Amino acid sequence: MDYLEITGGKKLSGTVTISGAKNAALPIIAATILSDKPVTLTNLPNVVDIRTLLKLLTMLGGKVDHENTVALIDNGSITSTKAVYEIVSQMRASILVLGPLLARFGECEVSLPGGCAIGQRPIDLHLKALEAMGAKIEIKSGYVHAMAPNGLIGTRIIFDKITVGGTENIVMAAALAKGTTTIINAAKEPEIVQLCEMIASAGVKIEGIGSSELTIEGTDGKALEFKNVEIIPDRIEAGTYLCAGAITDSTITLDKVNPNHIRASIDKLESMGCSFNIKEESITIYPAEKLKPVNLITIEYPGFPTDMQAQFMAVAARAEGESIIEERLFENRFMHVSELNRLGADIWLKGSIAAVKGVEAFNAADVMATDLRASSALVLAALVAEGTTNIRRIYHLDRGYDNLEGKLTALGADIRRKKEA
Ligand code: UD1
C-alpha cells in the first residue's frame, strides 16, 4: 500500500493548474446513460473515482474509450442494468446511475452503498422521489430493485433536506420521464448547474437552473443526444490549494479555476488575513501577516462547503487564537481531529462543534487518512510540521485529488509517494 512522506517547512511558490471537478464529472458520466449515442467528456480529473464509474459503465455493456482527461462514452450497447456491490461499495456516488438506468430502461438493480467514514449517508430521499415518480422500489439482498416498466411520470417533489446526489438522480430521471417534474428544495451546487446545462443542451427544457426550484420537461422515454461536455474546474481542489498557500505562508497562483465557485473559501481566508488577486480564471493568494482565527459553519452551496471543513481546520489550527468550526451536513465528519492532534494541533470536539486553539508549531508524526478530505487536511498540516510525517491509507486521496504529490512538488513541497515495505 502507498503512503506519503512529507517533510515540512518548505515555502511554496508558482502556479498550480486546477483539474476538472470530480463531483461534476461523476453525475455527468452517469447522465451519459440517458443517451444511446456517443458523447465525449473532456477535462476529466485523473482520479480513481472517475475510473471506477467508467468501469461500472463498461460492466453494464457501455463502450468507454478513456485516456487522461478525455473519455468517449457510448452507452448505445448497454445490456445489463445491475450496478454490482463490488463497484458501489468502492464508491458511494455509483448510486447516481439509479435515476438514469431506471429512466432509460424501466428497471434496474443498484447495490445499496452502505455507510461510510463520515456518517450513515442514507439514500431514502432519492428513493422516495423516484417512488413519487411512479417507480416501484424493493430492497432485497442489499440491492435497490427499481421498476417503472411504463416509464417514470413527472410530478412535484419536495426534498425534506437539500441533497446533492438526490437532486442529481431526480434531474436525470426527470429528463426521460413523461410530463413535468418540479423539484422543490433542490441543491444548487455548480456541479448540479453543469449537469442541468448538459441535459438542457440535449433539448430538455429545464427552468430554474442554479436555483432551489427546478422544473424539467421530460422526453417520455426518448433517449437524449448530448453535445461534448468540458468538466468545470474542481472548486474543492482549488480551495485545498488556497489552504496550502495560507498554511505555508506562501504566494501561489491557481490557474484554470472558477473564482465564483469558491467565494465562501476566499471570504473565510480573507477574514483570516490572506489577500487575493482574482482574475477570470486564476487566483493568486498572498499569505496573512498573522493568521487570524475563523468561525465557520458548513452548509449547502453557496454557503461554506463541508468538503472544505477539514482543510480549514488544519489552517485554523495554526492561527493566532481560537476558531470554532461547526459541521452541519455529516454527523461524523471530524475523523481528522485526532490525527491533527497527533501532529500537535489543539482541537477539542463536542458533537458537531470543534474548538480549534491555534498552536505555533506542528510536529511530524505517523498519521492515518480516514476519508478523502480528511486526508488532504493531514497533507496540509504535514507541509508545516517540523520533521517528516508519514500519511498512510492515501488511497482516500487518490479517489479525489489529481496528481496531488506532483502538483505540490512543482510548487516546492518536499513530498514523496512510497510503498509500504
Ligand atoms: C455530495 C458530494 C460530497 C459532499 C456532499 C455535500 C458528490 C459525489 N459528493 O455527496 O462530496 O460532501 O454532496 O455537499 O458530489 N441525506 C439523507 N438522505 C438522502 C440523501 C442525503 O438523509 O437520501 C443526507 C446525507 O446523509 C447528508 C445530507 O443529506 O447528511 C447531504 O447529503 P448529499 O447532499 O446527498 O451528499 P452526497 O450527494 O452524498
Side-chain angles (χ1 to χ4, degrees):
M1 225 187 271
D2 292 356
Y3 68 99
L4 283 179
E5 190 182 80
I6 301 175
T7 304
K10 295 272 188 292
K11 277 255 173 262
L12 307 183
S13 65
T15 299
V16 57
T17 302
I18 300 305
S19 299
K22 167 182 86 72
N23 286 356
L26 292 172
I28 282 171
I29 292 170
T32 65
I33 293 173
L34 298 170
S35 174
D36 54 3
K37 304 267 177 344
V39 51
T40 301
L41 309 182
T42 60
N43 201 34
L44 289 168
N46 191 3
V47 298
V48 171
D49 274 7
I50 297 300
R51 294 194 284 278
T52 305
L53 193 56
L54 290 174
K55 184 174 169 204
L56 175 57
L57 290 188
T58 59
M59 287 170 81
L60 299 177
K63 292 197 186 86
V64 176
D65 187 359
H66 177 217
E67 212 171 317
N68 299 321
T69 58
V70 180
L72 173 65
I73 302 171
D74 184 350
N75 285 324
S77 52
I78 285 185
T79 45
S80 160
T81 55
K82 182 166 180 171
V84 293
Y85 178 70
E86 179 198 340
I87 296 283
V88 183
S89 60
Q90 283 175 41
M91 186 187 59
R92 294 183 45 85
S94 316
I95 196 68
L96 291 172
V97 300
L98 178 64
L101 278 178
L102 179 62
R104 184 160 153 222
F105 298 100
E107 188 259 356
C108 67
E109 271 181 277
V110 178
S111 171
L112 277 170
C116 75
I118 64 173
Q120 287 184 44
R121 301 184 79 177
I123 54 159
D124 56 314
L125 301 173
H126 304 226
L127 302 184
K128 210 171 129 194
L130 289 172
E131 278 177 334
M133 295 175 80
K136 292 257 172 306
I137 301 217
E138 272 174 26
I139 311 270
K140 225 170 153 187
S141 310
Y143 277 79
V144 176
H145 191 179
M147 288 152 288
N150 301 318
L152 292 164
I153 298 155
T155 187
R156 190 178 151 90
I157 287 158
I158 306 176
F159 278 122
D160 293 344
K161 206 172 182 178
I162 299 175
T163 158
V164 172
T167 303
E168 290 165 345
N169 245 331
I170 300 313
V171 165
M172 293 187 276
L176 300 200
K178 188 185 176 81
T180 304
T181 303
T182 305
I183 307 176
I184 318 274
N185 206 22
K188 46 188 185 210
E189 271 68 3
E191 294 77 22
I192 289 172
V193 170
Q194 187 169 38
L195 174 70
C196 289
E197 282 170 351
M198 172 195 188
I199 292 172
S201 76
V204 175
K205 198 168 161 218
I206 306 186
E207 275 172 21
I209 295 179
S211 79
S212 53
E213 185 169 325
L214 293 167
T215 306
I216 302 141
E217 274 177 35
T219 63
D220 195 5
K222 188 170 171 282
L224 305 181
E225 198 167 332
F226 291 118
K227 303 202 168 76
N228 297 349
V229 183
E230 182 183 348
I231 306 299
I232 57 170
D234 194 317
R235 63 194 169 97
I236 306 302
E237 187 197 24
T240 305
Y241 283 102
L242 291 182
C243 286
I247 200 168
T248 60
D249 284 335
S250 304
T251 299
I252 58 175
T253 299
L254 277 50
D255 194 20
K256 278 205 174 174
V257 63
N258 186 334
N260 294 328
H261 293 168
I262 50 175
R263 214 49 261 182
S265 294
I266 292 173
D267 286 356
K268 287 296 173 192
L269 286 170
E270 251 168 4
S271 76
M272 296 178 88
C274 299
S275 47
F276 294 89
N277 182 6
I278 301 176
K279 299 196 177 136
E280 210 177 308
E281 283 195 358
S282 84
I283 307 178
T284 301
I285 177 168
Y286 304 97
E289 252 169 54
K290 278 181 186 169
L291 264 181
K292 289 183 250 175
V294 68
N295 292 335
L296 55 90
I297 296 173
T298 65
I299 42 170
E300 295 85 2
Y301 189 85
F304 186 85
T306 174
D307 286 351
M308 284 304 304
Q309 179 257 105
Q311 301 89 316
F312 266 76
M313 191 177 287
V315 181
R318 290 299 302 273
E320 283 193 17
E322 189 173 50
S323 303
I324 301 291
I325 296 181
E326 182 176 349
E327 173 58 53
R328 287 221 183 140
L329 288 188
F330 293 107
E331 68 266 28
N332 193 25
R333 203 171 199 178
F334 278 137
M335 305 279 279
H336 43 283
V337 168
S338 49
E339 300 301 297
L340 287 173
N341 283 345
R342 283 176 60 74
L343 291 165
D346 183 356
I347 305 167
W348 176 87
L349 196 57
K350 181 134 174 65
S352 61
I353 296 179
V356 186
K357 244 188 221 161
V359 296
E360 266 180 33
F362 288 161
N363 302 301
D366 282 351
V367 290
M368 199 106 82
T370 48
D371 71 67
L372 174 54
R373 307 304 170 185
S375 322
S376 61
L378 299 181
V379 171
L380 294 174
L383 289 176
V384 289
E386 283 169 20
T388 299
T389 295
N390 295 317
I391 306 179
R392 288 177 211 280
R393 298 201 183 164
I394 55 162
Y395 49 84
H396 290 293
L397 278 174
D398 295 337
R399 283 190 36 224
Y401 283 94
D402 186 350
N403 189 21
L404 181 79
E405 65 270 25
K407 290 186 184 187
L408 281 174
T409 301
L411 290 173
D414 186 348
I415 174 169
R416 287 162 301 278
R417 178 178 289 255
K418 294 244 168 143
K419 287 228 175 295
E420 224 60 88

